[in-house]
Amino acid sequence: RVLLQGNYIKHGPEDPIPPAGIPMMLPPRIATAIQQVTGLQFTPIQYTMVDTLTLPSKRFRNAWRHDAGVVSVDMPKARAIRKGEILKQRDELVDAVTRKAIKAEDAGDNAEAKKQKDKRKELNGMDLTIDAALLLQLTPDALDAYVPPEFSGI
């Protein structure tokens, strides 16, 4: 693991990042030469090289953190990501269950309509238990594999 220093082109005082948002990695001598010829300003950025074989799964890539040359998954961030995914799935299921309840009511099947309404209440009540359930998932793989029990039977 080697700490390297890279440079990117600074287009102006209000624009510290290139338009595409991707830093241009240039050796310092090349950056200096371009700066002397064009007058463009360069701002150094630091980065660390890591072995790609040691990277965690890309599943929770937005929750990666870098500490002392090791990339790992920040579990609180990963839990927040997973919670957002679960709540999105839950909202889709609530919509589906609501449609089933309406169809059952239209068909005069009150028992089925009540069953679907109860399922909707159960799904809407997940907010109270989801955080506790996700806290019990201690690894990224367990977090990824977790499916709320309220999702079963739908």
Side-chain angles (χ1 to χ4, degrees):
R1 297 177 178 103
V2 180
L3 184 64
L4 301 173
Q5 186 168 325
N7 297 288
Y8 65 87
I9 295 175
K10 183 175 181 180
H11 296 276
E14 312 81 33
D15 187 16
I17 297 177
I22 301 172
M24 291 178 55
M25 303 309 299
L26 302 170
R29 63 183 176 78
I30 300 288
T32 303
I34 292 173
Q35 188 172 5
Q36 289 173 348
V37 172
T38 64
L40 293 173
Q41 296 297 314
F42 289 84
T43 304
I45 58 172
Q46 291 190 346
Y47 63 93
T48 302
M49 300 291 288
V50 295
D51 184 358
T52 57
L53 296 175
T54 64
L55 291 177
S57 163
K58 289 184 180 180
R59 172 64 179 90
F60 291 107
R61 193 170 124 184
N62 289 339
W64 283 2
R65 71 171 170 221
H66 179 262
D67 187 31
V70 177
V71 177
S72 61
V73 175
D74 182 334
M75 287 302 290
K77 286 183 182 177
R79 285 185 187 98
I81 290 168
R82 184 68 180 123
K83 180 179 179 180
E85 295 168 352
I86 289 171
L87 291 177
K88 183 179 177 188
Q89 290 174 318
R90 188 266 324 254
D91 292 344
E92 292 169 2
L93 289 173
V94 166
D95 289 344
V97 167
T98 301
R99 285 191 300 273
K100 286 181 183 179
I102 291 170
K103 282 183 182 180
E105 284 177 348
D106 289 347
D109 188 350
N110 292 333
E112 181 64 20
K114 181 176 179 352
K115 178 182 164 189
Q116 295 302 326
K117 287 179 181 180
D118 289 344
K119 188 65 179 175
R120 183 175 60 200
K121 281 183 186 177
E122 181 184 7
L123 288 169
N124 283 327
M126 283 178 58
D127 291 11
L128 303 174
T129 59
I130 191 95
D131 289 326
L134 292 177
L135 279 174
L136 297 175
Q137 311 310 313
L138 301 178
T139 66
D141 290 336
L143 191 60
D144 187 32
Y146 176 72
V147 177
E150 294 89 351
F151 286 7
S152 64
I154 297 178

